Amino acid sequence: MISKGELMKPGSFAAAMIGVLAVVSGPDRLSIGEQPVMVGKARADDGDKDGGEAGRASSMPMARDPAVAVAEEYEAARRQGTRQAFELFIARHGDDPLAEQARAELKRLSR
């Protein structure tokens, strides 16, 4: 049992008051039963896996076709038309068939 002297200690009373104030005045204070926004969103996203709302957009974009991305990079290098652009493309995609075209462009530029 707590003695009367322990209840009146200034340090314990101040600590208790700070704790109460932190709980009562905290920026994330919620009513009973509420959830923080991010928890609610995460649970809503989980609902999609368990047959949640139909027609709801996925939170993850579709994967991009790597071949299309490489072709776009080649076209960007070709539009720039510089040695640096073609060399960068070859360094990044040396095994791609478009790298041969980039090498041919480099040879053409060196003439």
Side-chain angles (χ1 to χ4, degrees), residues 15-94:
M17 289 306 294
I18 290 172
V20 168
L21 287 173
V23 170
V24 172
S25 65
D28 57 348
R29 184 177 51 165
L30 301 171
S31 300
I32 296 173
E34 288 186 34
Q35 300 173 347
V37 174
M38 294 306 292
V39 172
K41 286 182 180 180
R43 290 198 177 142
D45 289 343
D46 288 344
D48 290 343
K49 297 174 192 166
D50 301 327
E53 298 176 26
R56 182 181 155 135
S58 173
S59 60
M60 190 76 155
M62 294 292 294
R64 193 163 174 218
D65 183 3
V68 172
V70 171
E72 288 175 358
E73 284 187 48
Y74 174 76
E75 285 303 315
R78 196 179 60 73
R79 280 192 305 271
Q80 287 180 353
T82 64
R83 288 188 63 79
Q84 287 178 327
F86 288 117
E87 287 171 352
L88 178 62
F89 179 83
I90 293 167
R92 293 183 66 179
H93 307 288

